């Protein structure tokens, strides 16, 4: 009782947490949530105290108790205010406590135990998977790092268009502005006729280039140009550069009051709405969103003329005084382009140690200046200018992002160099994450085609199918290795563990006992054998109607009508064929619809007349009646012109009549398909238990997602109003959608956006530290940030946001690798059950044989001799069509009323080792259930393989079946006993069981055969040897033959006794 009360409390608490996550309730709702949480915390604390008082230190031996203790401690600290505020999030651990409910339900417990018991093997598989993942990630990173980028503007010309595919000399002329913040414009335009850049169409400082008066150009294609932007994560002392000037990068907002509002224009226009604090926030966002394309250092090739080492004895950067490195860049160099460079404006002061390190990197960088300084070009002006530009970008890495080659042309012409996809291979972690996404087959084709378009070097615009051959092979190889091999090994692990635990759950039940129980349960739980019994008592007209509706020709005619009706309804199209040329078609459709409606109505009427109350026993009849009733109502309403039109609804209902075609599965030709259908039906019942477990984990992940991501902005491409964690319902739907693999990785990447990503996209997000609904709820509400939250996901360090990665990868692997594989295990189990047992087919065959030949009036009883004939004939028929496997037994069935045949079958040919399967005793009448039990009992015995000793093993099987009711103590067995007790068999007459009669007949047959052999041998002996009656030799020979005969008889009796089939005393 204590446990069940707590379960109800846990469920209420789940609902409270689901409501609490959105943070959009009114004051009354917020108060109710606070009070309810206090009450629930009291119950949790009381539970822990009671259990600890009862068990003392033994309380901590259970993992569930540890979880309860941690949850209560964290909850108390969260309410009282002690400890870090982040500990309050751990209260979601209470959501895991409903898992204890599964211990009360055997079916759920087996599934959950199978899941958790397979985690060890899955962990080993995960290690192997990570090993291959690391190997492939290193290979992909080696060749694809920095290549999955492209220009966002389609109206941009690249080096392949400028006839400089080797990136040797072409650079674009640029004009720099001399304002407070420098910017640049390209001079001229591309001439498609000359296939070259035409720079004569513009002059710096004139016309469209007014205000851009400083001429500048990169020294070489691999000379970097910088994209300057502020870094929202710049913090001392973690960054390697000094702070940028405040006029370029102001301080971030530090209080909730400084956050900008997200209200509508009407709400924002209220008097006094825009405060000074909000102006700070708007200014900060404006500066963070701004970006500028600038020279990294502002040097040119001409600025290094005359500084060759051969002339001055100095290197390219050795002419500057050491002290100048700590001073302003504008004071150290005086050219206008250098003063307007990214380094001069954003990093006016640089650490000397960093400058020395950057100089060393510039001489060995694999991409920048590699072409300009190759060979003997290291002392040229181009090489020196290129390295000076790289050093300038390296000295200011937090604010200046260098680009070269096609990426530089894109930026110079006003484009933006961006990622092609959400995935990249720029480092080993990103490469591993991308390969994990690909292993789930989500978006892998897009990544493969993007890789096929890249070259083997970064900063180059992709060109379709540049390297398609090698990357198609690599990506297909990874899919085959990961998805089709490694991950599918998880299927084998889960299935093997599930089958192992299923077998453990069966205890000592043998396969024969299990099939015997299932067959009896299937027979006992059937709602009816025949839809109408005692046909001999019916009036003649009703009997004839019944014969009509039960005739196979009538059933096939209705099936054909259903198929034709469905095909005709499939011919309906939109818009309808209203033209006069197709009037005949509309008339034909109307006539056929009315015709089929009439046919189905007649069918229902005939069945109602024949079956009357029994008509409603069959669910198919109820379904047919609903279809007919809906059709008739639709026709009546349409004809009466009442204005109510339900003809379309009636048509849809009639379409579902096609489901009656499943009855065709009972025909022998479709029995293999019938097995598959029955395996699906069996699996659906068990899948309900798996569904409960899946829903439970969906709820757990939904609660976790709402607590972590509910306040994130939904203005992303995939994480939007259709897929989000704003409240529990949306979270549940989003996770269910992701469980099918639908764009889960794109949602993950949208949630992974940090503050800098939002600024680059032209938007912004509220830092998680400022989005505190407990202390600043009213202010956030006034700024419309409660109704339209836009909080950033919690970052660990300088924009590193691992929570979305951990959450989504864990969820995808758990749901895809574990839960979905349990579904496969359940389906395979259902298929194995239908493959190993065919009790439904056996019962249906017995039903058909009983009704057609032995009991046409459906009295449900026959005489004992008829039952014997029925049992043997059913066994022969089932073994003939393969429904009963194992050793083939052919027993002759005599025609009815054969002389000297009490049972009508030759039981003397029945194998003695299987005879005990037929334990029916003589009685006045035998019911259908009793006779069919003999058939399924025989099937349970004969289908078990006999390997070493056929007699002893068969005898052991018989004992298992005889003791089945006493040995098996499951709930299913108790229910079976109760159902069988309600069906008492007819009165028995004194006599021995059928298997003893079989033993007697077998012994008699063997004795007669031995006697016949003795007589024939004696007759041949007498004909070949003429002796008189006093011949002692002949008498000895005859005595010897008689002794041999008696030994044969004794051997036959011994055989019967050894199998436990002692012949009856008399008879």
């Amino acid at each position: 009782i204590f446990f069940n009360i707590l379960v109800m409390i846990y469920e209420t608490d789940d609902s409270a947490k689901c409501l609490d996550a959105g943070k959009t309730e009114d004051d009354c709702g917020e108060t109710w949530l606070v009070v309810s949480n206090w009450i629930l915390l009291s119950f949790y604390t009381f539970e822990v105290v009671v259990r600890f008082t009862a068990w003392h230190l033994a309380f901590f031996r259970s993992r569930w108790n540890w979880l309860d203790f941690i949850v209560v401690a964290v909850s108390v600290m969260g309410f009282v205010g002690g400890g870090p505020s982040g500990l309050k999030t751990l209260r979601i651990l209470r959501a895991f406590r409903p898992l204890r409910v599964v211990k009360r339900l055997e079916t759920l417990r087996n599934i959950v135990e199978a899941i958790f018991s397979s985690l060890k093997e899955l962990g080993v598989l995960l290690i192997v998977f990570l090993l291959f993942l690391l190997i492939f990630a290193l290979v992909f990173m080696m060749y694809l790092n920095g290549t999955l980028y492209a220009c966002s503007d389609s109206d941009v010309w690249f080096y392949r268009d400028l006839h400089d595919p080797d990136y040797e000399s072409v650079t674009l002329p640029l004009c720099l502005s001399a304002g407070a913040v420098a910017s640049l414009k390209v001079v001229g335009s591309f001439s498609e006729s000359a296939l070259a850049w035409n720079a004569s169409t513009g002059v710096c400082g004139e016309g469209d280039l007014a205000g851009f008066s400083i001429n500048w150009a990169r020294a070489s294609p691999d000379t970097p140009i910088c994209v300057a932007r502020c870094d929202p994560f710049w913090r001392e002392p973690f960054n390697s550069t000094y702070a940028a000037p405040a006029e370029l990068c102001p301080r971030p907002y530090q209080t909730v009051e400084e956050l900008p509002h997200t209200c509508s224009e009407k709400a924002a226009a209220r008097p006094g709405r825009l405060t000074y604090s909000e102006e700070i926030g708007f200014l900060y966002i404006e500066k963070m969103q701004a970006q500028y394309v600038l020279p990294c250092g502002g040097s040119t090739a001409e600025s290094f003329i005359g500084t060759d080492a051969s002339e001055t004895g100095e290197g390219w950067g050795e002419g500057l005084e050491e002290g100048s490195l700590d001073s302003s860049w504008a004071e150290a160099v005086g050219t206008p382009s250098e003063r307007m460079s990214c380094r001069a404006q954003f990093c006016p002061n640089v650490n000397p140690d960093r400058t020395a390190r950057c100089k060393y990197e510039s001489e060995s960088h694999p991409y920048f200046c590699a072409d300009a300084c190759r060979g003997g070009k290291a002392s040229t002006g181009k090489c020196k200018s290129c390295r000076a530009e790289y050093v300038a970008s390296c000295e200011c890495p937090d604010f200046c992002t260098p680009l070269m080659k096609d990426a530089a042309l894109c930026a110079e012409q006003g484009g933006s160099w961006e990622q092609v996809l959400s995935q990249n291979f720029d480092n080993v972690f990103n490469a591993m994450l991308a390969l994990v996404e690909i292993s789930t087959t989500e978006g892998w084709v897009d990544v493969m085609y993007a890789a096929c378009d890249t070259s083997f070097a970064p900063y180059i615009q992709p060109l379709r199918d540049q390297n398609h051959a090698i990357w198609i092979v690599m990506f297909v190889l990874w899919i085959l290795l990961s998805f089709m091999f490694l991950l599918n090994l998880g299927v084998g692990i889960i299935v093997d563990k599930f089958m192992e635990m299923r077998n453990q759950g069966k205890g000592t039940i043998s396969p024969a006992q299990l099939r015997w129980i299932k067959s009896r349960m299937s027979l006992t739980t059937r709602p009816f054998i025949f839809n109408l019994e005692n046909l001999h008592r019916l009036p003649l007209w009703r009997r004839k109607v019944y014969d009509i509706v039960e005739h196979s020709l009538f059933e096939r005619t209705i099936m054909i009508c259903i198929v034709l009706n469905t095909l005709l309804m499939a011919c309906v199209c939109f818009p309808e064929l209203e033209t006069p040329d197709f009037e005949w078609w509309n008339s034909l459709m109307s006539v056929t619809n009315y015709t089929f409606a009439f046919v189905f109505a007649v069918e229902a009427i005939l069945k109602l007349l024949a079956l009357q109350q029994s008509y409603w026993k069959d669910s198919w009849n109820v379904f047919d009646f609903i279809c007919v009733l809906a059709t008739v109502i639709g026709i009546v309403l349409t004809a009466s012109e009442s204005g109510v039109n339900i003809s379309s609804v009636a048509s849809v209902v009639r379409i579902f009549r096609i489901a009656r075609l499943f009855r065709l599965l009972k025909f022998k030709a479709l029995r293999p398909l019938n097995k598959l259908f029955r395996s699906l039906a069996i699996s659906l019942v068990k899948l309900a238990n798996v569904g409960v477990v899946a829903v439970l984990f969906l709820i757990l992940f939904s609660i976790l997602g709402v607590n972590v991501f509910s306040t994130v902005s939904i203005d992303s491409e995939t994480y939007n109003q259709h897929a989000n964690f704003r409240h529990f319902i949306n979270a549940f739907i989003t996770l269910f959608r992701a469980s099918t693999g639908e764009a889960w990785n794109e949602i993950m990447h949208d949630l992974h956006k940090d503050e800098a990503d939002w600024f680059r996209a032209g938007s912004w997000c509220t830092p998680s530290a400022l989005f505190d609904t407990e202390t600043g709820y009213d202010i956030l509400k006034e700024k419309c940030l409660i109704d339209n939250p836009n909080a950033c996901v919690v970052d660990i360090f300088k924009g590193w946001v691992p929570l979305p990665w951990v959450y989504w990868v864990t969820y995808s692997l758990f749901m895809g690798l574990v839960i979905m594989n349990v579904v496969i295990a359940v389906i395979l189990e259902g298929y194995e059950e239908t493959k190993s047992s065919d009790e439904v087919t056996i019962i249906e065959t017995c039903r058909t044989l009983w009704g057609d030949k032995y009991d046409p009036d459906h009295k449900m009883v026959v005489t004992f001799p008829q039952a014997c004939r029925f049992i043997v004939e059913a066994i022969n028929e089932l073994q003939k069509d393969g429904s009963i496997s194992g050793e083939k037994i052919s027993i002759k069935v005599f025609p009815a009323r054969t002389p000297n045949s009490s049972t009508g079958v030759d039981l003397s040919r029945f194998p003695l080792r299987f005879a005990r399967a037929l334990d029916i005793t003589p009685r006045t009448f035998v019911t259908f259930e009793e006779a069919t039990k003999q058939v399924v009992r025989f099937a349970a015995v004969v289908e078990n393989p006999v390997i070493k000793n056929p007699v002893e093993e068969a005898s052991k099987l018989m004992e298992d079946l005889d003791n089945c009711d006493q040995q098996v103590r499951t709930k299913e067995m108790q229910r079976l006993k109760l159902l069988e007790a309600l069906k008492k068999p007819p009165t028995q007459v004194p006599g021995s069981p059928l298997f003893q009669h079989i033993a007697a007949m077998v012994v008699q047959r063997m004795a007669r055969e031995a006697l016949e052999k003795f007589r024939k041998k004696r007759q041949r002996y007498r004909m070949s040897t003429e002796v008189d009656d006093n011949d002692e030799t002949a008498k000895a020979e005859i005595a010897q033959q008689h002794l041999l005969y008696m030994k044969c008889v004794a051997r036959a009796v011994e055989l019967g006794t050894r199998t436990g089939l002692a012949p009856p005393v008399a008879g």
Side-chain angles (χ1 to χ4, degrees), residues 250 253 258-260 279-290 755 759 762-765 790:
Y253 20 61
E258 293 179 353
L259 292 174
E279 290 181 354
I280 296 176
F282 278 113
L283 176 63
Y284 173 73
I285 291 175
E286 179 184 355
K287 295 298 183 180
M288 290 296 111
Q289 292 177 350
E755 195 172 359
F759 286 141
S763 184
W764 65 284
C765 67
N790 68 338

Side-chain angles (χ1 to χ4, degrees), residues 286-538:
E286 179 184 355
K287 295 298 183 180
M288 290 296 111
Q289 292 177 350
Q291 66 177 25
Y292 316 93
V293 180
L294 301 173
C296 296
S299 68
T300 61
E302 290 77 12
S303 62
F304 287 91
I305 295 177
T307 61
D308 289 351
S310 60
E311 299 178 6
T312 64
E314 298 176 342
W316 64 269
E318 297 174 0
L320 296 177
E321 299 179 1
E322 293 295 333
S324 66
L325 294 172
D326 280 329
S327 61
S328 173
W329 179 274
E331 297 175 0
V333 289
T335 63
S337 61
E338 290 172 342
R339 287 195 298 271
M340 295 295 104
S341 66
C342 179
R343 191 267 191 212
Q345 296 190 74
F346 284 85
C347 297
N349 300 305
V350 181
N351 191 313
D353 294 335
R354 182 163 189 83
T355 301
R357 186 165 62 251
C358 291
K359 286 178 57 178
Y360 175 78
E361 291 180 5
S362 68
E363 297 174 356
S364 59
H365 199 280
Y367 305 121
F368 290 103
C369 307
D371 297 332
C373 301
R374 182 180 292 116
K377 302 177 183 179
S379 60
T380 62
K382 287 185 177 181
C383 176
K384 294 178 180 180
S385 175
C386 180
R387 287 179 174 175
E389 293 299 295
Y390 176 77
V391 170
S393 66
C394 178
E395 289 173 334
C396 192
D398 297 323
F399 305 99
C400 301
T401 303
L403 301 175
M404 70 173 191
K405 296 184 178 179
D406 287 340
L409 289 183
C410 174
E412 291 171 349
Q413 298 176 64
S416 178
W417 191 251
E418 300 174 351
Q419 277 190 209
V420 178
L421 301 169
S422 302
Q423 300 82 3
N424 65 72
F425 298 89
D426 295 347
N427 54 64
V428 66
F429 181 81
N430 286 359
M432 293 176 68
L433 180 63
L435 291 179
V436 168
E437 298 175 38
I438 292 172
S439 65
T440 64
T441 69
E442 183 59 26
W444 77 275
V445 175
D446 297 331
V447 182
M448 180 184 68
Y449 286 145
C452 292
D453 297 342
T454 63
S455 61
F456 287 105
Y459 305 108
I460 297 177
Q461 178 71 10
L463 181 64
R464 180 161 182 170
D465 297 338
Q466 285 193 101
N467 298 294
H468 65 282
I470 180 174
W471 292 121
I472 286 178
V473 173
M474 290 297 296
F475 278 93
V476 170
L477 180 61
W478 172 247
I479 283 290
L480 292 175
L481 182 64
S482 62
F483 174 71
M484 297 187 180
F485 180 67
L486 290 176
L487 292 185
N488 281 340
L489 279 179
V491 179
I493 292 174
I494 296 291
V495 171
D496 180 69
K497 184 62 66 173
F498 189 81
M499 295 297 183
E500 177 183 342
M501 297 197 66
R502 184 196 66 170
N503 294 333
Q504 290 178 357
K506 293 175 183 176
T508 58
I509 302 178
S510 65
Q513 288 177 324
L514 182 62
R515 174 159 188 182
W516 174 230
I517 295 173
K518 289 173 57 180
S519 300
R520 290 164 59 189
M521 182 62 71
S522 178
L523 178 62
T524 307
T525 56
R526 287 177 70 98
F528 57 88
I529 303 299
F530 298 101
N531 49 18
L532 197 61
E533 299 177 0
N534 297 317
L535 302 181
H536 60 288
R537 300 177 182 176
L538 299 179

Side-chain angles (χ1 to χ4, degrees), residues 54 106 248 357 367 402 424 483 551 584 696 708 736 750 807 834 906 922 976:
E106 182 179 357
L248 292 178
R357 186 165 62 251
Y367 305 121
N424 65 72
F483 174 71
H551 200 278
W584 63 271
L696 179 61
V708 177
F736 183 79
D750 286 344
Y807 177 85
T834 56
D906 186 10
L976 177 60

Side-chain angles (χ1 to χ4, degrees), residues 131-150:
L131 177 61
F132 283 98
L133 181 66
L134 179 61
I135 295 172
F136 273 81
L138 292 174
V139 173
F140 279 93
M141 184 190 67
M142 186 180 302
Y143 294 101
L144 291 178
N145 61 336
T147 61
L148 295 181
Y149 293 81

Side-chain angles (χ1 to χ4, degrees), residues 9 190 253 261 286 303 751 855 1009 1014:
I9 294 175
F190 180 75
Y253 20 61
H261 66 83
E286 179 184 355
S303 62
L751 288 172
D855 186 17
E1009 291 176 354
F1014 166 70

Side-chain angles (χ1 to χ4, degrees), residues 681-701:
I682 293 174
S683 302
L684 287 177
V685 179
K686 299 181 179 180
L687 285 177
N689 299 323
V690 182
V692 172
V693 176
V695 169
L696 179 61
F697 281 101
L698 279 173
I699 292 174
L700 301 182
F701 276 96

